[in-house]
Amino acid sequence: DNLISGTKEKRISAIKYLIKLGIGWTIGFGLAVIILANVFETHIYQISSLFMGFIIFAIPIVIIEEKSCLKEKINRIFFVMIGIVLVSVITYFNPVGGGNGMDLSNPNILTFVCGAIAICAMILPGISGSTLLLIFGIYLPIVTAIKDILHFNFHALPIVIAFGLGVVTGVISIIKIIRKALDKHRAATVYLIIGLMLGSLYAIVMGPTTLDMPQPSLSIDTFSFVFFIIGGAVIMGMQTMKIVYAKSEQIDEKTTV
């Protein structure tokens, strides 16, 4: 009975945690959409520099947190190259790139798949859902679609529904697969994630070329060092908050005992 009761309590606790996480993710994404949708077209190079800051500062954090695992399985390092090549190929052959845009009233299977994959970032160390959407070139269409709905323009509702169904599917199925991969093949999975992060830098550099009015890819001249540092500061701040929260949890557990 105690075992069943304990399992039930863990499930309830997990559900409550996911609900809180989902509410926070929804609010954060909504606010980001309102802000980013208005500046993406006019300040694409600053936003791209910001995302580069997110990724480059996040990579060392992933390596440090997984140091023992990566060192023990150094022979799995070739998965880094697999991740880089995978993202680069997807970006190069991106079907929505080159300024062709996407019909927001007529979503395709890519919208659904991207929703399923993006939500998996919740359990992937160091990589965000936005980064994954950027890799697949669907970030701007999704942001635009949600912004239109927030302004009561529902022509883009089909793409949001398809994306939402993908998110639900990812929560139910794909996340379990990734968790098993992290449990049984952690080093290979983490090396692959690092490769995806490195490869996503190429996706960000090419991001301006995917706008409705394509602009030249990010270069040294258009790169914004200020926004790059801001991105890094955000990542470091979040990491600091995580450490502080973990310490407070340990103190609470000791106090309870």
Side-chain angles (χ1 to χ4, degrees), residues 103-187:
D103 184 358
L104 298 184
S105 63
N106 185 28
N108 54 35
I109 190 64
L110 178 65
T111 311
F112 175 85
V113 172
C114 286
I117 294 175
I119 198 64
C120 296
M122 291 173 62
I123 65 167
L124 290 175
I127 190 165
S128 71
S130 299
T131 301
L132 292 174
L133 293 179
L134 277 170
I135 291 170
F136 287 96
I138 199 174
Y139 183 83
L140 187 57
I142 291 296
V143 167
T144 302
I146 295 177
K147 184 198 75 170
D148 289 344
I149 289 176
L150 291 175
H151 287 85
F152 302 102
N153 182 349
F154 297 102
H155 80 286
L157 187 59
I159 192 175
V160 174
I161 291 175
F163 183 76
L165 290 173
V167 168
V168 173
T169 302
V171 169
I172 295 173
S173 59
I174 299 179
I175 284 182
K176 291 183 178 179
I177 296 173
I178 293 177
R179 289 191 65 176
K180 286 184 178 179
L182 285 170
D183 289 339
K184 296 182 179 181
H185 308 283
R186 189 169 190 86

Side-chain angles (χ1 to χ4, degrees), residues 3-19 176:
L3 181 60
I4 295 173
S5 177
T7 303
K8 185 177 180 181
E9 288 179 2
K10 286 182 179 180
R11 287 180 178 176
I12 293 174
S13 177
I15 291 172
K16 287 181 179 179
Y17 175 78
L18 287 173
I19 290 173
K176 291 183 178 179

Side-chain angles (χ1 to χ4, degrees), residues 35 61 83 87 132 142 181-182 184 189 200 231 235 240:
I35 297 170
I61 293 175
V87 175
L132 292 174
I142 291 296
L182 285 170
K184 296 182 179 181
T189 304
S200 66
I235 294 297
T240 301

